[in-house]
Amino acid sequence: MEVFKFIAHSKKAICIAAQHGWYPGARYTNLRDVKTFSFEGVGFLDIDWKNYDFSRHIDAAAQKKPKMTIARDVECIFKLDQVLREAEQLALHSDYVAIVPKDTLLNGRISELIPSDYILGYSVPTRYGGTKVSLQSFDRPVHLLGGRPDVQRQLAEKLKVISLDCNRFTFDARFGDYFDGQIFRPHPEGGYENCLIESLRNINKLWDGYVVHDEVKKLAKLVTL
């Protein structure tokens, strides 16, 4: 199996990404851009983690029935029980639900405190956020949340990656830059679509040959059944 790749951006970007094997994504706050795409069983439902609204999230999940959605970030260990109760409801409408540990009090305790039914969401460090929970604590299949494509691939050497979402290259494309497999650089011809296409090709190449961990394969098979 391949790592699932999701993009949650504009209708145009999603359409181009779909031609390169990526799947549509959207925040529960904005389903407009995916209304013309097949979403049930293949899409990624993201959250507004700064202004989280469970009612809107569960309503969107029930409507769209995504392949994957993200539960509320666990920024405080004392809110974990609430997050797990919400995740249990989200699991009724989604193949996968990811729990995102961010409180360092979860270091070394994820297996103990978070049921194995859930995959883990690793918030890739950026200037906008990230997690300080140790990589060693992520001991099961992981969804990579955002960040640079090269950083995501580096993390995959230490984590059991089942999926990722990546929008970073869409923002660089607006300024005529594309991801060449290592860095972002100006596209020789320019153009938003050219930048998107080249970035997608090079991100896909990064993941060519990635050996999916047996635990990830087993989980994917169970969900498929």
Side-chain angles (χ1 to χ4, degrees):
M1 62 170 288
E2 295 182 359
V3 170
F4 299 115
K5 303 180 189 74
F6 299 103
I7 179 171
H9 197 56
S10 65
K11 179 179 178 180
K12 183 174 186 178
I14 293 172
C15 186
I16 292 172
Q19 298 170 26
H20 294 268
W22 289 50
Y23 297 95
R27 282 188 178 183
Y28 65 74
T29 54
N30 181 16
L31 300 176
R32 181 184 63 241
D33 290 332
V34 295
K35 66 181 181 181
T36 58
F37 295 95
S38 296
F39 202 86
E40 182 172 341
V42 298
F44 169 64
L45 187 61
D46 202 356
I47 65 172
D48 180 359
W49 65 272
K50 288 185 177 180
N51 301 288
Y52 185 72
D53 185 329
F54 178 69
S55 295
R56 294 186 67 183
H57 187 185
I58 193 71
D59 286 348
Q63 175 190 342
K64 289 296 187 179
K65 300 189 182 306
K67 175 172 282 295
M68 176 177 295
T69 193
I70 308 296
R72 181 199 305 255
D73 291 11
V74 186
E75 298 184 275
C76 173
I77 195 172
F78 301 110
K79 296 290 183 67
L80 178 59
D81 285 346
Q82 179 184 354
V83 172
L84 292 177
R85 287 195 298 270
E86 294 173 351
E88 186 176 4
Q89 295 182 60
L90 291 166
L92 298 174
H93 308 292
S94 182
D95 289 346
Y96 299 94
V97 177
I99 307 294
V100 186
K102 286 190 173 180
D103 189 337
T104 54
L105 291 176
L106 287 164
N107 274 330
R109 303 188 65 193
I110 286 177
S111 292
E112 170 195 351
L113 298 176
I114 299 178
S116 59
D117 311 57
Y118 304 109
I119 66 171
L120 301 175
Y122 184 84
S123 186
V124 178
T126 68
R127 60 180 176 176
Y128 300 108
T131 182
K132 294 183 180 179
V133 177
S134 67
L135 283 175
Q136 293 75 19
S137 296
F138 288 78
D139 57 356
R140 69 181 70 162
V142 168
H143 173 84
L144 296 176
L145 290 155
R148 289 175 57 101
D150 51 327
V151 175
Q152 288 186 329
R153 185 61 183 83
Q154 291 163 14
L155 287 167
E157 296 302 315
K158 299 179 180 179
L159 299 170
K160 304 167 187 176
V161 176
I162 187 171
S163 57
L164 62 90
D165 64 89
C166 185
N167 298 323
R168 164 63 195 268
F169 65 94
T170 65
F171 299 107
D172 290 86
R174 292 185 301 180
F175 300 98
D177 292 338
Y178 76 105
F179 179 69
D180 71 355
Q182 295 181 313
I183 62 172
F184 285 91
R185 65 170 68 246
H187 192 281
E189 297 178 14
Y192 181 70
E193 289 190 23
N194 286 334
C195 291
L196 290 183
I197 291 169
E198 288 303 316
S199 292
L200 287 160
R201 286 175 178 167
N202 289 321
I203 294 170
N204 284 347
K205 287 179 183 177
L206 279 185
W207 292 92
D208 283 348
Y210 178 69
V211 179
V212 176
H213 195 276
D214 287 343
E215 187 177 345
V216 176
K217 293 179 182 177
K218 181 179 178 182
L219 177 63
K221 184 177 181 181
L222 288 173
V223 170
T224 301
L225 295 176

